[in-house]
Amino acid sequence: NDPRSARPGTLERGLRQKDHGPTTAQQWYQYWSLIDLLPSRVMASAVTSEEDLPDHAMADDDVDGGQESPENEKSLVIPVTSSSNDVFIEIFPEEMSNIRPATLSNVLRDEGAPLKTWCEASLLYMKGKREKEGCELLTSAVDNDDVMGGSNNADRLRLLVSSGIAALAQANRHEPISATDNDEMGSLLDSLMAASKAEEEQARVRREELQGIADARFVKADSINQVNPQTWIAKGMLNLAQKKFDQAKFFFDNLTMRQEGEILPALIGMAAVKYLEKDYKGAQDLYAKAMEKFPVQSGAAVRVGFGVACYRLNEIDRAKAAFRRAHDMDPDNVEALMGLAILEMASLDSHALDANEYRAKAGSVIQMISQANLVDHTNASVQNHLANHYFWKWSPVPGMVSVECGSNVVTGSNVASSLEAGDRIRIGKELETLVAVDDEDEMADGETFKIKDTWKFDSKSNLKIWKKDYERVISLAKAAYSSTNIPGIQAESLYMLARVFHARGEMTEARELYDKAVFLDPNLYPARYGLAQTLIWEGKFGDAATSLKLLLGTCTTATDALAAMGLLDAKAGKRADAFTSLRKAIDLDPFNADLVLIEALALQQHETDYPASLDRYRNAVRLLEAQGRSISADVLTNMGVLCHETKQYEEALEMYTKALDAIESENPESVGKPDETGDSTFVRH
């Protein structure tokens, strides 16, 4: 991402440098906000984790800290009524994934199992994230008169309420859409959009249908007993899912808590309402009260809700502690894993930690994200973070290669067979480039392949080679986009895809994806910066400036955006604005040599600023040398021209000589040959 200076009189090369967003994972994560968890999911998890919905004795029982945690699931026991002995069927939680609801329904019906056992069986399905199967099992019981007829009113009411809550849980779970696979990468956005619109309509119809089923169950429960807190809580959950917050408050607060006191489901329900109304302090207080009054039954889910509320209040340490405690209570809680991973990643500072410690902590974060993916491989937030990880990760390619100085042909046994045209690779520690194939048969022998850039270093052999697994990034980002209907998360998925195309130099596709990402989430700053970069590349400087102004309106400390804005203003003749932006960027990051070079580039556009520009170049060179970085021929050329114009002839000669040496060391074969613009690469005034 080194902005290379151009010859005096042009800004094109400085403006049009390829880039693909923030240059380190740390820069990306500083923008990434913690994804909202659906409070209704947190609530449903805590409410259905007990044997029953709230009753008059629930508060007293919950105070006992010796009860088993909801996460320590018990097995399902079905007595065999046809046997004279005490024979029973025992099903363990891990076995539920192999049992179809229809099969279990037949067993429960044949053995005349009480309705309480039906509810317990459904709960095991729900805990295994199989809401559909749990709903099917309860529906088969509700629709069977023989099952319902032989039970008392209390059991029937409980089954009806549980069936309605199961339908709500299924309605809240987004089914992944299936975007059409297409080798034409330019049509990827159209493919995703078409699939998204079709599935969004289907999901809306399905959600309304399931909410209607839940409502019907609750109405039927009302006909059994109109003053039962189980039904009140269930109706509050339904109104919460429908975003009818006033009605939800009525059922949680005015009815349940006024009649029954501060029981757990009502506290969680009110906390969810407060959170969705953006009253994060109120939500935090209610989650805290739920944990204080019901330390065991509140479980991991309430800790997650408390952690998210703390995050919203910028109480990061408390949020981490809450997520960590939730993870301790339930190691498979995906929301706890992701909340902790995101906050830990955001707090990593490569400058404050030594390299080994930084790698160890970063590795721990990736382990948490990978564990979350194993638990729920359809979680869009998890998939986006894995895509981000693989975007930066270099994967080793089997074998070793050799390359000659001045050549763009790489030789290595069976290495070429692991590569494809367009792959971004790194050869040794020296060169990062792209695989380029001119002929379809170029890599057929598996021994040689061409690279886009010429190897400008000494001839070497036995070099290791790495590549970026962009196909995995694309696969994960597409899956994430298809696994959610939350615009903010979909925007991040599109941003992931855009970065891949940007890195490959496919600017049109990258721009389209960036554009759609900022449409879905206007506050996704990295996507807006990427959009500006691609617009600059296409020469649409006015549109790029508009995009950067929107970014800087809310993110005033984005140094890359400030630098780009400064160059655009300089090109447009807005000198005062240009240097204000550039000086602000440098003040924010005074040791960034690239920013100083950009300021020098802008100053050299006017003859009166030549001395100031030369001074900036000298400062930049000192910074580059202190950082052990090489000085490019372009920078040395510009310094030579500026010295020449200001009549510092001896220094000008010195700079020209260094520039010639730099050109020869960068690419020996290019000396004296015309570049892509037709100009000779000899340094000249």
Side-chain angles (χ1 to χ4, degrees), residues 34 304 307-308 319-327 335-336 339-340 343:
L34 187 64
V304 170
V308 176
K320 283 185 187 179
F323 291 137
R324 192 173 288 111
R325 176 59 181 148
H327 176 55
E335 287 78 15
L340 186 57
L343 294 181

Side-chain angles (χ1 to χ4, degrees), residues 323-401:
F323 291 137
R324 192 173 288 111
R325 176 59 181 148
H327 176 55
D328 291 341
M329 296 179 75
D330 179 8
D332 290 338
N333 187 299
V334 173
E335 287 78 15
L337 279 167
M338 288 307 298
L340 186 57
I342 292 169
L343 294 181
E344 288 289 0
M345 178 63 82
S347 66
L348 286 179
D349 186 351
S350 58
H351 299 293
L353 302 172
D354 64 53
N356 291 333
E357 187 178 1
Y358 181 88
R359 280 195 296 269
K361 289 190 174 183
S364 175
V365 169
I366 297 304
Q367 275 190 329
M368 285 189 280
I369 297 173
S370 299
Q371 183 182 343
N373 188 53
L374 288 174
V375 175
D376 183 2
H377 63 274
T378 64
N379 186 293
S381 179
V382 174
Q383 291 168 324
N384 275 340
H385 278 270
L386 281 177
N388 181 68
H389 168 65
Y390 285 112
F391 179 82
W392 297 105
K393 179 180 173 64
W394 287 102
S395 301
V397 177
M400 309 289 276
V401 299

Side-chain angles (χ1 to χ4, degrees), residues 434-452:
L434 296 174
V435 176
V437 179
D438 297 329
D439 190 319
E440 292 183 359
D441 299 326
E442 188 73 42
M443 298 164 70
D445 60 359
E447 299 290 333
T448 61
F449 62 93
K450 286 185 177 180
I451 54 178
K452 182 179 178 181

Side-chain angles (χ1 to χ4, degrees), residues 418-486:
S418 303
L419 302 173
E420 295 180 1
D423 280 350
R424 181 169 288 275
I425 61 172
R426 192 179 77 207
I427 303 174
K429 297 180 180 179
E430 291 87 354
L431 180 64
E432 180 180 336
T433 184
L434 296 174
V435 176
V437 179
D438 297 329
D439 190 319
E440 292 183 359
D441 299 326
E442 188 73 42
M443 298 164 70
D445 60 359
E447 299 290 333
T448 61
F449 62 93
K450 286 185 177 180
I451 54 178
K452 182 179 178 181
D453 301 297
T454 301
W455 181 264
K456 59 187 180 183
F457 310 100
D458 294 338
S459 300
K460 290 185 179 180
S461 58
N462 295 324
L463 289 169
K464 291 183 178 180
I465 185 169
W466 293 264
K467 75 171 184 176
K468 289 291 185 76
D469 192 356
Y470 286 145
E471 291 306 314
R472 179 177 288 190
V473 178
I474 290 173
S475 176
L476 285 165
K478 285 173 64 177
Y481 182 90
S482 303
S483 297
T484 183
N485 55 6
I486 300 175

